[in-house]
Amino acid sequence: MRTFLSKALKGAVIAGSFAIALPVWAYAANIVVLPEAPIQGDPIMVYVEGTTTLKSMAFTGSALKPFIYKNRPTAIYGFDINKKAGVYKVSATLSDGTVLEKNILVDERKKPVLTFTIPAKLGGTTTASQKTLVSALAIENASLVGLKTGTKAYWTDSFQHPVPNPIVTDGYGYDRDTGEATVTHKGTDFRAAEGTPVEAINRGVVRRVQETRDYGKTVIVDHGLGLMSFYMHLSKIWVNEGELVQRGQYVGLSGQTGYALAPHLHLTIRQDDISIDPAVFLKLFE
């Protein structure tokens, strides 16, 4: 069983342009990384406890984007599912120049391969439709890279599930083999009968409303700092691009548009254009 921690930060903390005054505990500053045993495709949460000043954080030299969550400076790094497993360094620089470092092991994700068919509405499981599927997905995914994102976090509350009484029907990180094509499932599917209201997992700005061949009717919400949630295969869309939505606000209704064999909600979460495991991400914020 994978383990998650929850510790309160104490001390006065400064990260980038923000500052928090908190009571000081008398223990040495150290970096906390969650989950404790991450694997490929996981979101990795980083924070520093036991310090009075924090200037910046980084993952293998890449600057992280701090935000305040539960009165502590926190950052999320999206570890790509195809990035090599191994030992990586997380660092934090304090305002006095002190550098804290922590090595973490990111283990390999076992990716099962399941046989999938292509629905008749997309041409069925033929060689031609499989090739079309791959080329269309490449075009659709390319169009979703580099979307505008806020320079600050739009949320203050924890993240929630997108449907009530959530039941996962298909998890993140396995390969779908249609014969000629293999596609990695980079999201989480939730049971949702046709027309089930779909809720924004947190406050954010709607950056894209669209319908494509494979993803169907889709809403993309920017939560700021490169963090985005994607709601796919909808039957109806109830928001507009540029609209500020609140946590729990309905963004549309579930359906089976695009590459979907039955009604459901597909949720993708990306950090800086990296698709991460939504189940692990939501667990981090419990």
Side-chain angles (χ1 to χ4, degrees), residues 207-228:
R207 295 298 183 196
R208 184 72 62 86
V209 170
Q210 65 182 29
E211 182 172 9
T212 62
R213 177 188 183 275
D214 296 308
Y215 293 142
K217 287 183 169 64
T218 299
V219 171
I220 302 173
V221 177
D222 168 32
H223 302 287
L225 302 179
L227 182 64
M228 297 193 176

Side-chain angles (χ1 to χ4, degrees), residues 130-167:
Q130 291 173 62
K131 291 180 179 178
T132 301
L133 172 67
V134 172
S135 60
L137 280 173
I139 294 171
E140 291 175 24
N141 285 327
S143 73
L144 300 177
V145 173
L147 297 178
K148 180 180 179 180
T149 184
T151 57
K152 64 179 181 180
Y154 293 126
W155 77 94
T156 55
D157 295 328
S158 62
F159 286 76
Q160 66 164 53
H161 284 89
V163 292
N165 305 314
I167 297 176

Side-chain angles (χ1 to χ4, degrees), residues 17-270:
S17 61
F18 55 77
I20 305 174
L22 298 169
V24 177
W25 278 12
Y27 52 72
N30 67 287
I31 297 173
V32 177
V33 177
L34 306 174
E36 291 182 311
I39 61 176
Q40 293 166 309
D42 275 356
I44 297 175
M45 177 181 280
V46 180
Y47 64 89
V48 179
E49 64 178 358
T51 183
T52 56
T53 53
L54 176 65
K55 183 178 180 181
S56 63
M57 291 185 283
F59 189 99
T60 60
S62 298
L64 299 179
K65 302 171 183 177
F67 55 90
I68 297 298
Y69 179 66
K70 292 186 176 179
N71 294 323
R72 66 193 186 200
T74 306
I76 297 290
Y77 177 80
F79 198 95
D80 195 295
I81 193 171
N82 295 315
K83 188 179 179 72
K84 184 179 179 181
V87 177
Y88 290 85
K89 183 180 292 183
V90 180
S91 62
T93 302
L94 308 184
S95 62
D96 64 0
T98 300
V99 177
L100 307 175
E101 295 181 341
K102 183 181 183 72
N103 289 329
I104 63 169
L105 172 64
V106 181
D107 210 346
E108 181 181 0
R109 178 184 290 269
K110 306 301 181 184
K111 290 201 300 182
V113 179
L114 301 181
T115 300
F116 253 68
T117 59
I118 298 176
K121 63 183 177 180
L122 296 183
T125 311
T126 66
T127 299
S129 64
Q130 291 173 62
K131 291 180 179 178
T132 301
L133 172 67
V134 172
S135 60
L137 280 173
I139 294 171
E140 291 175 24
N141 285 327
S143 73
L144 300 177
V145 173
L147 297 178
K148 180 180 179 180
T149 184
T151 57
K152 64 179 181 180
Y154 293 126
W155 77 94
T156 55
D157 295 328
S158 62
F159 286 76
Q160 66 164 53
H161 284 89
V163 292
N165 305 314
I167 297 176
V168 173
T169 57
D170 237 349
Y172 169 98
Y174 73 93
D175 287 337
R176 292 177 167 179
D177 182 7
T178 62
E180 297 291 329
T182 300
V183 179
T184 301
H185 191 239
K186 292 185 178 180
T188 296
D189 291 347
F190 292 93
R191 180 177 297 170
E194 185 92 18
T196 300
V198 174
E199 302 176 10
I201 62 173
N202 217 323
R203 188 172 183 269
V205 176
V206 178
R207 295 298 183 196
R208 184 72 62 86
V209 170
Q210 65 182 29
E211 182 172 9
T212 62
R213 177 188 183 275
D214 296 308
Y215 293 142
K217 287 183 169 64
T218 299
V219 171
I220 302 173
V221 177
D222 168 32
H223 302 287
L225 302 179
L227 182 64
M228 297 193 176
S229 55
F230 296 60
Y231 310 82
M232 298 177 174
H233 308 306
L234 302 174
S235 61
K236 299 287 184 181
I237 293 175
W238 285 352
V239 292
N240 300 303
E241 290 186 6
E243 181 178 347
L244 177 66
V245 295
Q246 303 299 322
R247 177 181 183 268
Q249 180 176 333
Y250 294 159
V251 298
L253 301 178
S254 64
Q256 52 183 323
T257 56
Y259 181 12
L261 302 177
H264 68 282
L265 172 69
H266 174 101
L267 174 69
T268 284
I269 296 178
R270 290 187 182 179

